[in-house]
Amino acid sequence: MKFFENTVYARLFILITSFVVIGIVVWNISVFYEGVKQEEREKMRIWSSAQESINKAGEEQDLNLELEILNANNDIPMFIVDESNQFKEVNNIPENISNDSIKLRRYFESVKNQNQPIVIDLDKVGKQYLYYSDSTVLTKIKYYPFILLLIIFLLLGLIYLYYITAKNSEKNKLWAGMAKETAHQIGTPLSSLVGWMEILRSENVNPDYIKEIEKDIDRLRTITERFSKVGSKLTLESSSLNSVVEHSFNYLRDRSSKLIEFSVELPDKELTCKLNPVLLSWTIENLTKNAIDAMKGRGELSLLLFEDKNGFKIHIKDTGKGIPASKFKTIFQPGYSTKKRGWGLGLSLSKRIIEDYHHGKIRVLTSSAEKGTTFEIRLPKL
């Protein structure tokens, strides 16, 4: 069973098998359809022969069999016309059509080319032509392959949807597990560092050194909290969007190259939104770091927060090298990165935070090599 352990071969086998089964079923239905069609033509041929026999019969000839044959046809629409295309007999046509000469003529034209007409040779009257349409049963059989294919594709679609859902669920569990484990692993040395801080204070170490170490410890606490939040079910709370955005942006501004010109434009009005400040701050930092990398440490970076009728929007714009339009969606996929040492998780994580946790949207709004890139975050109102 090693063959099935290879996912590619297994999928290819299932795909080929499915098409073979579909082909066999469709072929069998086609053969059955042609068989029924030939049977109906033979039935019409017998009907026309019975008509000829009645026309040629003498007064004393027993015509019970011929009449029984003529009366047996009650499901195949048929027209008998003379050589001038005038109707001589019409059978099994809906009343709403047969009672309207215009509709009847249109219906006849649509039926005319469905089957080769059968010639009825009436000695006294001349030749007449029997045109007939497919019966209701044959019409249904004709559409069975399409219905079957539709059902099969719907079934395959449901299987694929189930597969994708199960796969995403597995990824989400793995993602959450890794996040929780990361938070746990960071938490152990972090607790130890806090203890060492107390020892350093008792040793009368330079307070400036301790202050800087405390900043790093606080940063580690923030990182631990972020991973802990990602791996847990969140409860959003009403918070100041202005404060979260400004604090996150300013944090990186104070720690970035002085060759980058930062600008923040916030509304005068305080915007309140249901959010998780820790994770939203992480998203803004991810986008800001990407923008700094795209500009190679030199350029202009701006953040704009505003409100419109659809909700709140955050625009983060840089003057970097830009992103090709074909990559606008790809960059949010896990593992995609243009950096040699990048893991390709920053934007994927940002998308998860905004769309799954905050029920918003994140996208590349505009991008070009000349003007740089603008990312947009949309958050719903309360």
Side-chain angles (χ1 to χ4, degrees), residues 6-159:
N6 189 309
T7 306
V8 175
Y9 287 132
R11 290 178 184 174
L12 188 60
F13 175 79
I14 293 172
L15 185 64
I16 293 174
T17 304
S18 300
F19 279 114
V20 170
V21 171
I22 291 172
I24 292 173
V25 172
V26 171
W27 178 77
N28 276 279
I29 292 177
S30 300
V31 171
F32 180 64
Y33 172 80
E34 289 299 325
V36 175
K37 193 173 183 68
Q38 289 300 321
E39 287 182 6
E40 289 194 355
R41 183 162 185 84
E42 182 63 18
K43 186 177 180 180
M44 289 293 95
R45 190 193 63 76
I46 294 172
W47 192 95
S48 63
S49 296
Q51 187 76 15
E52 289 178 353
S53 296
I54 291 174
N55 183 263
K56 296 175 182 180
E59 294 182 359
E60 297 180 358
Q61 185 174 341
D62 185 6
L63 299 174
N64 288 334
L65 178 60
E66 284 81 357
L67 291 173
E68 186 177 346
I69 291 173
L70 294 180
N71 293 328
N73 176 34
N74 54 16
D75 62 336
I76 301 177
M78 52 184 288
F79 296 85
I80 298 177
V81 299
D82 58 18
E83 293 180 332
S84 61
N85 238 15
Q86 296 299 313
F87 297 135
K88 292 300 180 181
E89 187 176 342
V90 175
N91 291 330
N92 304 322
I93 307 298
E95 289 186 7
N96 65 318
I97 296 177
S98 60
N99 294 332
D100 188 324
S101 59
I102 297 176
K103 289 183 180 180
L104 186 63
R105 178 57 64 176
R106 287 177 181 171
Y107 185 68
F108 171 70
E109 293 299 329
S110 67
V111 168
K112 191 174 180 180
N113 296 321
Q114 285 189 15
N115 297 285
Q116 189 71 20
I118 298 174
V119 180
I120 304 175
D121 190 4
L122 304 176
D123 293 338
K124 300 176 183 179
V125 181
K127 290 183 178 180
Q128 293 183 350
Y129 300 90
L130 170 61
Y131 291 91
Y132 65 96
S133 176
D134 296 335
S135 65
T136 304
V137 174
L138 190 60
T139 302
K140 289 181 179 178
I141 294 174
K142 181 168 61 176
Y143 291 109
Y144 275 172
F146 301 103
I147 296 172
L148 181 63
L149 285 175
L150 179 61
I151 292 172
I152 290 173
F153 281 123
L154 286 175
L155 182 60
L156 291 175
L158 289 174
I159 293 172

Side-chain angles (χ1 to χ4, degrees), residues 3-4 23 33 75 81 110 119 164 171 183 208 212 218 224 235 289 296 312 320 323 326 345 366 368 382:
F3 174 83
F4 292 100
Y33 172 80
D75 62 336
V81 299
S110 67
V119 180
I164 291 298
K171 284 182 178 179
D208 291 336
E212 291 303 317
D218 288 339
T224 303
T235 300
K289 286 178 181 177
K296 299 184 184 301
F312 306 111
I323 302 170
S326 59
L345 293 178
T366 60
S368 67
L382 291 174

Side-chain angles (χ1 to χ4, degrees), residues 238-278:
S238 296
S239 303
S240 168
L241 193 55
N242 304 51
S243 176
V244 173
V245 169
E246 186 175 21
H247 178 270
S248 305
F249 196 71
N250 288 342
Y251 174 83
L252 287 179
R253 180 178 60 184
D254 297 340
R255 290 160 177 78
S256 300
S257 168
K258 301 304 179 182
L259 299 176
I260 297 177
E261 183 180 341
F262 287 82
S263 64
V264 182
E265 186 176 341
L266 303 175
D268 296 332
K269 174 186 174 183
E270 191 74 21
L271 303 182
T272 304
C273 177
K274 274 197 170 183
L275 53 87
N276 182 276
V278 174

